[in-house]
Amino acid sequence: MGLFDALKKKPETLGAEPKTESQVKGEETVEAKFNEPCALCGKQPTEVKWMGQYFHVRCKRKAKRIAGKMI
């Protein structure tokens, strides 16, 4: 069991092709580095890798706050 297994959501579309751009920040589009699902929200693609898992920048900030409060 991982740290974020309880927070993960399964992607709605398993057979869909992943996008080349992520729209996590509303109207702005962000270039994605990885074609992996986010460990927190489950959407693809992701921008950063942290603690062996892939995250969006926004989701990484939330995960760091959650992990900091656990210690």
Side-chain angles (χ1 to χ4, degrees):
M1 291 206 100
L3 180 64
F4 300 107
D5 287 341
L7 301 174
K8 284 185 184 179
K9 294 181 182 177
K10 295 189 179 190
E12 293 84 22
T13 56
L14 297 175
E17 293 183 17
K19 300 176 185 176
T20 57
E21 296 179 346
S22 177
Q23 292 187 348
V24 176
K25 297 181 180 179
E27 295 296 322
E28 299 177 23
T29 57
V30 178
E31 288 283 328
K33 293 182 182 178
F34 305 104
N35 197 11
E36 298 287 330
C38 178
L40 193 61
C41 68
K43 296 181 182 175
Q44 287 182 344
T46 54
E47 291 95 22
V48 294
K49 185 175 180 180
W50 180 61
M51 292 180 54
Q53 296 182 347
Y54 299 93
F55 292 93
H56 299 112
V57 175
R58 189 174 185 180
C59 294
K60 181 185 164 199
R61 286 187 214 125
K62 289 180 185 178
K64 286 179 91 171
R65 287 186 202 126
I66 293 169
K69 291 178 183 178
M70 289 182 174
I71 294 176

